Amino acid sequence: DTYFEGGRDHRLERCSATHIPYLEGDYWPGEAENLLGLIADGQRQANKSNKKGPTGPSNAIARKGAKGKRYGSGPATTDEQLMGKLGEILGGNMKEDFIVVHLKEVCTFCRAHIDGAMAYRYRAPPGNAPPKNPTERKFEGIKLEPGPNIPAGPVHSLTICESCYRDEEMRYATGGKTRLPNGVSTGDLMPEKIESQQRMRDPDTDLDNEFFETRQSFLSLCQGNHYQFDTLRRAKHSSMMVLYHLHNPSAPAFTTSCNVCNVELEPGSGFRCTVCQDFDICASCKHNTGHPHPLMAHVRRVDETRMRLTEAERQERNEQLQRTMALLVHACSCQNPSACGSNSCRKVRQLFLHASTCQLKVTGGCQMCKKMWCLLNLHAKGCTKTDCPVPRCRELKELRRRQTARQEEQRRKAYQKMLRNQVQAQQQRVTP
């Protein structure tokens, strides 16, 4: 409703696809790239049709697709076409799945957030009919009234910022047309001081888990264990299992089943074939049916009850990790190592010196190089600085970015394949 045409919070100014907030790996970037590819293919086909001749049905379809949908009948830009297609997707069955929550007060007219400033509110008196504005006049979806949003229909309450309040006072003094509802003047607006909101700080420490680092990893965890959230019962079970994996990162994440009787195998039970690929068998089927190849018993490598840490132990481990990362940054940026009074700084620099002169390296099995490489990876995982003094930090961050982009590309290809299969299935049902 805030970013697309037709919603009650829709802005009058043209909204770009770059205005839509999203996180890395979110739905919108992948869908936008898919739509941009379709738009580019349509433009290439239109160019080919224009070269063949100025007339014809294909050329007419291309001209029709290039007409602006929101801002008049002129040619639509790529951004406008993308916003139109995203709006069509959101206006379908997916509208109930997306919501924009304003964490701050929003001005009814200019849609600006009010934080640490004066706000002017109007609420209709109880028992009285709320005032009404005349029906807004539009031409091809554009409001004809100049200026920002103007509420239409019954107005039960509104909140405007100080700038819009001064603008309304100026319009009222000069005899201009105000944006307030009929029968409501600036004197009916009650001033209220909006306190500045402090940034919330979570007292709980972050929990590191590889399944929650990227969207693709979490999707693989849910697909491998059939975690679903389409019903309340499934959502409760899936949420419980997600919390279990979050607090037990060393526990087995995926279950195995017997390839003969399809019974789920408990961790540490059953056997695996040393020749066949991904073949597991339970003890009962091994005794009754047998298997022609050598079998190796499953080993339970971790005990969840022993590996579970208390709250104090988890907090102590996280604090120790933060101190280690701070020491790594200090050792890399220390200007006078000989005069530095920290023994840990000297040890870290000796570890750097060993890594630069070691002949075995990580591939050769050097434990000190493995320790150094682990520290560098942990630092690059949480580092956000562009001029970080830690060696190889930029390279490791770029490597993680490429890995994430590769996983996201695989997800997009799988999503496009699913869409193509759906279209083919619909065409087969339609075709007699």
Side-chain angles (χ1 to χ4, degrees), residues 371-386:
K371 183 178 180 180
M372 191 71 237
W373 192 251
C374 180
L375 289 176
L376 293 177
N377 276 284
L378 285 175
H379 168 78
K381 180 181 176 181
C383 180
T384 57
K385 297 181 179 179
T386 56

Side-chain angles (χ1 to χ4, degrees), residues 351 355 362 367-379 392 395-396 399:
L351 198 61
V362 178
Q367 296 299 322
M368 295 186 66
C369 290
K370 288 183 178 180
K371 183 178 180 180
M372 191 71 237
W373 192 251
C374 180
L375 289 176
L376 293 177
N377 276 284
L378 285 175
H379 168 78
R392 309 292 294 275
E395 299 176 16
L396 292 174
L399 177 62

Side-chain angles (χ1 to χ4, degrees), residues 215-232:
R215 184 172 181 265
Q216 183 64 32
S217 301
F218 180 70
L219 181 62
S220 300
L221 175 68
C222 294
Q223 288 179 340
N225 294 285
H226 304 287
Y227 297 154
Q228 301 181 38
F229 300 86
D230 53 344
T231 63
L232 180 60

Side-chain angles (χ1 to χ4, degrees), residues 89-163:
I89 294 176
L90 185 65
N93 298 329
M94 300 182 63
K95 186 173 183 179
E96 299 299 329
D97 300 332
F98 290 89
I99 186 172
V100 176
V101 178
H102 295 282
L103 301 181
K104 299 179 181 180
E105 291 286 347
V106 181
C107 177
T108 306
F109 290 163
C110 66
R111 309 306 304 164
H113 290 122
I114 307 173
D115 187 23
M118 293 297 298
Y120 296 85
R121 300 181 184 274
Y122 169 78
R123 290 184 176 88
N128 297 342
K132 294 184 179 181
N133 264 336
T135 306
E136 57 185 4
R137 297 181 301 137
K138 290 185 176 182
F139 177 75
E140 293 194 3
I142 303 177
K143 296 179 183 179
L144 297 181
E145 291 86 352
N149 293 342
I150 301 175
V155 179
H156 297 274
S157 65
L158 60 85
T159 302
I160 62 175
C161 62
E162 190 169 5
S163 176

Side-chain angles (χ1 to χ4, degrees), residues 55-69:
T55 59
S58 60
N59 198 13
I61 295 175
R63 289 197 305 270
K64 181 179 179 181
K67 291 177 72 68
K69 184 177 179 181

